[in-house]
Every structure is written in structure tokens, then in C-alpha cells.
Amino acid sequence: MTRKQDIVPVKLRDDRQSINSPQRKPSPQKLVARLKSIDTELFVYEGIRESLLKVLLTELNSHETR
């Protein structure tokens, strides 16, 4: 017997906040660097993890040398 499985979207919420409390807008992140080449553009914002930045720069560099 096989059953079809559906992907169900889930929205997480913090139940500690009451409905009456005002919602704060997240503060915009500060742009640290913008790297632009012929066919790619990379925006780097503060708070980026070093490991993710390393992967992005490696990929950007590998596409430039082709």
C-alpha cells in the first residue's frame, strides 16, 4: 500500500508574544560590500557567516576564471 505524501507549508510563531503587543519591524541589515563583475553581482551584508562568505567568493572566483 502506497500513500501520496504532500509537502505542507509551516509557519513558525513565537507564542510568548501576546497578540496585543506591537510588532517590531526587523532592522535593515547594513550593506558591507558589493562585488560586481561582467555577469554577476554579489551583495554582502553585515552578519554573514564566514563559511558562507568563503563559499560565495570561491564560486564567484571560479566563474570569473572560466
Side-chain angles (χ1 to χ4, degrees), residues 42-57:
L42 176 64
F43 294 93
V44 180
Y45 292 90
E46 73 179 356
I48 189 170
R49 292 189 321 252
E50 183 179 338
S51 58
L52 179 58
L53 181 59
K54 189 180 291 187
V55 169
L56 291 172
L57 292 174

Side-chain angles (χ1 to χ4, degrees), residues 30-52:
K30 184 178 177 183
L31 181 64
V32 176
R34 176 178 169 235
L35 306 170
K36 186 173 182 178
S37 65
I38 297 170
D39 59 347
T40 57
E41 189 170 14
L42 176 64
F43 294 93
V44 180
Y45 292 90
E46 73 179 356
I48 189 170
R49 292 189 321 252
E50 183 179 338
S51 58
L52 179 58

